[in-house]
Amino acid sequence: MSAPQRTPVAVVGGGPAGLMLALLLDHHGVPSVVFDHGESGQRRPDGSTPGARTMEHLRRLGLAGPVRRLGLPGEHPGDLACFTRFGGRELSRLALPTATERLRRVAAAPRTDQLPEPPHHADRMYLAGFLREHAGTRPNITLRPGWRVTDLRQDARQVLVRAEHPDHPGEDWTARYAVGSDSGRDFVRDALGVRDEATGPRRPAAARLGDRRATAAHLRLPTFHRDRLGGPRAWSYWALDEDPAVNLIALNGEDEFLLLAAPARGGHPGHPADPGALLRRAAGADLPVEVLGDHRWTPGATPVAQRFGKGRVFLTSDADPAPADDGGLGMNTGIDDAANLAWKLAAVLRGWGGPGLLASYGGERRPIALRNAAAARELGAGPGAVARPAALEADTAEGRAARADLGALLRSHGERSLSSVGVQLGVRYDASPIVAGDPQAEPPGDSWGSYTPSSLPGGRAPHLWLDDWHGQGSSLFDRLGPGYTLLRLGPEPPSGKPLQAAAQARGLPLRVLDVEGEPARELYQRDLVLIRPDQHVAWRGNQLPTDPGDLVARVSGAGQRRSGAWAA
C-alpha cells in the first residue's frame, strides 16, 4: 500500500458550501482537497439562489461579477406572479427589479448604502457548476470528483481519510483538519457520532404532509412564454386553481424551469405525481414538456447538528436541502459557515490562531443556523400555503371579489416571504469569546425583513462606498485585508502603531486603513474599529486598550482578556 497523501484540509462534499470553503482557504493561501462522490455535482436545480451576504463573500474572491452572468438574464423581471392557471387570470403580481435594475440602484445609492451586492437569481445548480470550474483553476485546490469518503478517523495530530472511486484504487489521505459539507455532511456527522436536531415542522399543523411526497422537476418548456403568458415575464409563476398548487421558477429566462408541487391533499403516498401531467393540469392546456430530471422529497424540518465539530473535524450547516425547502437559506447559511471557518483554519495552520479560535466556530455558527431555520419556517411557505376560495375563474361578481381578495392576500404574503435582508446581513456573534464586546451598548433588534447597520462588536461591519463610482475597489469591503483590519476614522484618530506592534509580535496579520470623511465616522460611531477577516467587527473604541497585546490575544483565540473594559 502506498503512503498516504497529505493535505492541510480535507473537504468532504463538493457543493456550494464545500467549494466556497476551499476557495476561501485558497484566498488565505491554504491548500485543500475536495472529495465529491457525485451527488453535489448533479445538474439538478433546487430553487436556492445566492443572497446578499453570499454575494459579498463572492465579491471578496473577485467572483461576484461572473456569478451575475449566470441564471436569469439582466433584463428578465424578478416578479412573483400568481395565476388561477398558467395562461388564466392573473391574481397578483409582486413587481421586483431585474438584475440590471438592482445594479443601477447600487450605482446610484448613497455612500452609506448597505447593499453593495444585492441577491441574484442564479439557481444553486449554476452556482455549484461555476464554483467547481473555478476551483479547478486554483493551484491550492485539488478536486476529487467521483471519490467517496468511506472512512474517517482522527487522533490528536491528524485526520485519516479513506476515499474510494469505482474506476481507481482507493486512496488514503492525512489531513490536519477535515470538514463535512453539502452531500458529504451526513457521512461526516455520522462518523463523529453527532445527531441532527429537527427544528420544527415547516407548515402549520393543519397542513402537515405526513409521509406524502412532494415533486420537483427540471423541465424544458419551449413554448411556455409564447403560448401561456400574454403579459410580462416573471421569476416565479404560481398556478393556484388546482390542488396541488404548482410553482414554476424560471432558470435561464427562456425555456428551462424548476417545477415544484406539494402533494395533493388526499393523495396517496405510493402514487407520485407525473411532472408533465402536473404542468399541463396547471396550464389547462397540452404543452410540449421535456423532463430533464425529477425527484421526490418529503417536506419537513430543517436539520441543525447538535454540535458543529469534534476534535479536528467540523461540519457546515445543511446546505444541500430538499428543493426550495428553506427558501434557499440553507445554502446561504452553509456558505456563511464556510466564511467563518476558513479564516480560523488558516489562522491556526499559519500559527497565529490560538486554541480558542477554532473552538469558537460552533459557538458562533450554531445559534445562527437555529436562527436561520426559524426564519425559513416563517418565511419559506409560498403562495401555495394561502387558503384559496372556490370558483376563482368564475366570471361572476362572486368570482371577481374572490380574485381581488386573494390577490391582495397573495401580495402581502409575497412581500413578507421575500423580505429576508435582515436574515442575510443581520448575523451577530455578540457572545463570542473572540469578540471584545461593548457592554454599554444594545445591539440592534433582529428583524428578518430589515437590517440596521451597527459597529457594535459581533455584527457585520457596516458597508460604506469610498467614492462616487461604486465600482470594484470603491467599497470599504474591497479595502479590507485578508487578515484583520484596523479602521482609523474621524479627523484625528489615535495611532494604530501599538496594536500593529502587538499583532506583529503574535504573527497576526493586521492592516491599518485610514477612512476619512464624516459619513464614515457617523456610521461607525468610534475612532478605531477592528474588523475580522470575515468582515465582522471584533472591537471598537476611541482609543486603544492600555494593553493592546491583551486585545490581540483575545481576538486570535489565544486567551481571555486580563484587563477591564474593552471599549473606550
Side-chain angles (χ1 to χ4, degrees):
M1 180 180 294
S2 59
Q5 301 181 67
R6 297 180 180 275
T7 182
V9 181
V11 181
V12 185
L19 291 166
M20 280 294 288
L21 176 65
L23 287 165
L24 287 163
L25 287 169
D26 172 65
H27 178 66
H28 291 286
V30 174
S32 65
V33 57
V34 181
F35 300 98
D36 186 9
H37 60 72
E39 292 180 12
S40 294
Q42 289 179 351
R43 184 177 170 81
R44 188 177 77 183
D46 70 0
S48 299
T49 60
R53 189 63 179 137
T54 292
M55 293 303 299
E56 289 177 356
H57 294 317
L58 289 164
R59 181 187 184 106
R60 187 150 45 116
L61 297 172
L63 301 179
V67 166
R68 292 196 183 279
R69 293 193 284 272
L70 307 174
L72 291 187
E75 300 300 333
H76 193 287
D79 297 0
L80 172 64
C82 298
F83 304 85
T84 53
R85 297 175 184 271
F86 297 134
R89 300 178 187 273
E90 184 171 304
L91 298 167
S92 73
R93 179 177 288 266
L94 182 60
L96 298 168
T98 66
T100 299
E101 288 168 342
R102 289 178 190 267
L103 295 181
R104 285 175 182 155
R105 293 180 185 182
V106 169
R111 288 200 177 185
T112 56
D113 183 68
Q114 294 302 306
L115 208 62
E117 291 290 348
H120 179 62
H121 291 312
D123 190 270
R124 169 199 175 96
M125 170 181 68
Y126 300 129
L127 178 63
F130 168 80
L131 293 177
R132 190 173 299 110
E133 181 178 348
H134 182 69
T137 69
R138 304 302 302 167
N140 278 325
I141 301 176
T142 300
L143 296 178
R144 280 289 189 267
W147 288 84
R148 180 184 295 273
V149 173
T150 58
D151 189 30
L152 185 147
R153 291 169 290 152
Q154 62 175 313
D155 57 32
R157 297 180 298 110
Q158 62 190 1
V159 183
L160 307 175
V161 177
R162 174 70 176 176
E164 297 183 357
H165 191 286
D167 300 325
H168 302 283
E171 291 183 349
D172 291 307
W173 288 76
T174 62
R176 293 279 304 279
Y177 299 95
V179 183
S181 292
D182 306 300
S183 62
R185 173 185 177 276
D186 288 350
F187 172 83
V188 174
R189 180 205 61 197
D190 292 344
L192 293 180
V194 173
R195 291 186 301 159
D196 270 346
E197 174 184 324
T199 58
R202 214 169 272 294
R203 305 284 190 268
R208 291 179 191 168
L209 301 172
D211 61 352
R212 289 178 285 132
R213 305 285 276 169
T215 300
H218 184 193
L219 305 180
R220 177 168 287 121
L221 308 175
T223 67
F224 177 77
H225 285 127
R226 185 191 70 195
D227 294 348
R228 301 313 301 164
L229 292 179
R233 297 186 180 190
W235 162 61
S236 177
Y237 306 90
W238 282 86
L240 297 169
D241 199 37
E242 294 285 349
D243 185 31
V246 170
N247 181 207
L248 269 185
I249 297 175
L251 296 176
N252 64 355
E254 295 297 331
D255 60 349
E256 288 193 33
F257 297 84
L258 170 64
L259 178 145
L260 298 168
R265 292 178 176 85
H268 192 281
H271 298 283
D274 173 67
L278 279 172
L279 186 281
R280 293 183 180 103
R281 186 180 183 192
D286 188 14
L287 289 173
V289 178
E290 181 183 356
V291 179
L292 302 176
D294 70 293
H295 59 291
R296 292 2 184 236
W297 86 100
T298 302
T302 302
V304 174
Q306 291 183 325
R307 57 192 300 181
F308 271 39
K310 187 176 181 181
R312 293 180 169 271
V313 183
F314 301 90
L315 297 169
T316 66
S317 298
D318 187 7
D320 207 9
D325 210 28
D326 63 357
L329 288 178
M331 180 187 77
N332 288 287
T333 303
I335 289 174
D336 208 25
D337 289 342
N340 183 288
L341 181 58
W343 73 271
K344 296 175 179 178
L345 287 168
V348 173
L349 289 165
R350 294 286 187 196
W352 63 265
L357 199 59
L358 285 173
S360 73
Y361 168 65
E364 289 188 345
R365 290 306 300 173
R366 187 172 185 275
I368 300 305
L370 292 168
R371 163 193 182 264
N372 290 2
R377 290 196 302 275
E378 185 173 323
L379 304 176
V386 175
R388 308 187 294 275
L392 275 179
E393 289 200 310
D395 192 15
T396 62
E398 180 185 6
R400 287 189 289 273
R403 289 192 292 274
D405 290 345
L406 180 59
L409 182 61
L410 289 168
R411 279 190 294 276
S412 174
H413 181 87
E415 289 170 353
R416 183 176 62 83
S417 65
L418 294 177
S419 298
S420 64
V421 67
V423 182
Q424 299 172 53
L425 302 184
V427 169
R428 300 198 58 84
Y429 307 134
D430 299 276
S432 173
I434 63 167
V435 168
D438 185 345
Q440 306 304 316
E442 279 290 324
D446 193 8
S447 166
W448 302 153
S450 63
Y451 165 70
T452 302
S454 170
S455 69
L456 184 67
R460 164 189 178 265
H463 177 260
L464 181 74
W465 291 109
L466 300 179
D467 57 42
D468 293 328
W469 178 46
H470 292 191
Q472 188 64 40
S474 300
S475 168
L476 172 65
F477 291 175
D478 298 338
R479 310 286 180 91
L480 301 179
Y484 276 84
T485 302
L486 178 66
L487 300 184
R488 299 176 69 243
L489 304 126
E492 295 182 4
S495 171
K497 290 183 178 179
L499 187 63
Q500 284 180 292
Q504 185 176 13
R506 168 122 197 120
L508 182 147
L510 176 67
R511 172 181 296 179
V512 176
L513 179 63
D514 290 355
V515 184
E516 300 177 355
E518 190 59 28
R521 180 59 176 76
E522 288 184 1
L523 182 63
Y524 275 88
Q525 295 292 302
R526 296 292 189 277
D527 292 340
L528 298 170
V529 179
L530 184 63
I531 299 178
R532 303 182 345 174
D534 59 358
Q535 301 173 343
H536 280 252
V537 177
W539 169 86
R540 69 177 184 179
N542 288 326
Q543 60 185 27
L544 288 174
T546 305
D547 182 1
D550 198 11
L551 176 58
V552 169
R554 179 170 183 129
V555 300
S556 65
Q560 298 297 314
R561 66 181 184 181
R562 300 188 302 273
S563 53
W566 288 101

